[in-house]
Amino acid sequence: MNTSVHTLHAPSTLQRFVFAVVAALRSTAAAWQRSRRRLAALRELESLDDHLQKDIGLHRSELSSVVAEVIGAAPATRRVTMRSQP
């Protein structure tokens, strides 16, 4: 009967390097995706005319900060303020 015992070894230097590269690539890809979503949302809001923006309670000067709040890149101060109003 042939039994083998597998022992766990610490990752090699090459394995740690590969893991670090993969982690960096994933982080970069996630940041790129967040940036693309932010730009798409901003373009969509910017494409609305001023009257429609006013109807939904926005001013053109607020668009960047509103998008940042919605995607979680900034504290949600505007949404918190809007909820507390009667």
Side-chain angles (χ1 to χ4, degrees):
M1 176 175 219
N2 186 2
T3 60
S4 61
V5 176
H6 294 283
T7 58
L8 297 176
H9 297 286
S12 69
T13 302
L14 177 60
Q15 287 172 324
R16 287 193 306 271
F17 174 75
V18 169
F19 292 150
V21 169
V22 169
L25 289 173
R26 285 182 179 165
S27 176
T28 301
W32 181 76
Q33 288 176 338
R34 284 191 306 274
S35 175
R36 298 279 297 161
R37 284 194 301 267
R38 183 186 62 78
L39 288 173
L42 187 57
R43 283 191 201 116
E44 190 71 28
L45 287 173
E46 287 175 339
S47 72
L48 303 175
D49 65 32
D50 290 336
H51 295 290
L52 188 52
Q53 288 179 9
K54 184 178 178 183
D55 286 346
I56 61 175
L58 297 176
H59 187 271
R60 194 162 293 279
S61 64
E62 301 174 294
L63 298 181
S64 292
S65 64
V66 168
V67 169
E69 289 181 24
V70 169
I71 66 168
T77 55
R78 180 181 175 88
R79 291 185 294 176
V80 170
T81 302
M82 291 174 68
R83 280 190 224 135
S84 65
Q85 293 178 351

